[in-house]
Amino acid sequence: MEATLYEAWRLTLRHLAPEHARRWLYLLAHDARRWQKVSPMMVWPSRDVERMFPDDLVHRLQALLASPMAARDVVVLNSYFGECYRARLDAVLQLVAIPGKAGQYDVRLALMEGFICIVPGKLALLCNHEGGVALWENRHQAA
């Protein structure tokens, strides 16, 4: 894994999932076959995350996609396919209106299972293959 991608995950895991950080960072430093089975569900909830499943998740994601953050590169750890790469936030995250349900949206991610590090050490989005989505946010801890 490229050093800058690894560093983003080091900060994120150290601040948002410290109980898993040491083991996962060891795995991430090796070949994808070592870390490919790392499951987002194993770490949500994480006791050190300030907000986990906010009621306003869709509104928070809408605000992100409407902000300059949408065009920024984020770090994607696709544990299903064993890939780690950079991509624009608006290329990996979309909100799709649910037909017949005014004001309700489905969160669509460009990965089946894995993690999107939006702001290293502060904000990450997790998804599992069953459609579950969690937001890791830590507003007060410095990265």
Side-chain angles (χ1 to χ4, degrees):
M1 180 182 298
E2 179 190 316
T4 58
L5 301 178
Y6 182 86
E7 178 62 13
W9 287 111
R10 187 189 70 75
L11 287 170
T12 298
L13 291 168
R14 192 178 98 206
H15 290 292
L16 299 177
E19 65 272 24
H20 296 277
R22 185 175 179 170
R23 177 174 173 266
W24 283 22
L25 289 171
Y26 173 80
L27 294 173
L28 290 174
H30 293 83
D31 185 81
R33 287 176 290 155
R34 301 279 295 269
W35 56 260
Q36 192 170 352
K37 295 191 188 277
V38 169
S39 169
M41 291 176 68
M42 290 172 56
V43 292
W44 76 38
S46 172
R47 66 177 178 258
D48 293 295
V49 174
E50 184 181 313
R51 294 181 70 190
M52 183 69 53
F53 299 103
D55 293 334
D56 62 344
L57 175 63
V58 168
H59 297 296
R60 298 282 314 281
L61 297 179
Q62 284 175 324
L64 272 174
L65 291 172
S67 77
M69 288 287 298
R72 284 187 47 191
D73 277 354
V74 295
V75 178
V76 179
L77 185 68
N78 187 331
S79 55
Y80 188 83
F81 287 108
E83 301 172 329
C84 188
Y85 56 91
R86 287 190 183 279
R88 279 177 54 136
L89 180 61
D90 59 5
V92 294
L93 168 64
Q94 293 181 357
L95 295 174
V96 179
I98 299 174
K101 296 187 178 182
Q104 293 188 23
Y105 295 86
D106 194 16
V107 178
R108 300 267 174 92
L109 299 170
L111 65 164
M112 185 174 295
E113 181 167 291
F115 307 78
I116 299 173
C117 178
I118 300 171
V119 180
K122 295 202 177 261
L123 187 64
L125 196 62
L126 293 71
C127 69
N128 69 0
H129 62 277
E130 296 173 346
V133 178
L135 182 70
W136 274 354
E137 181 182 31
N138 205 330
R139 294 180 183 176
H140 303 294
Q141 205 161 25

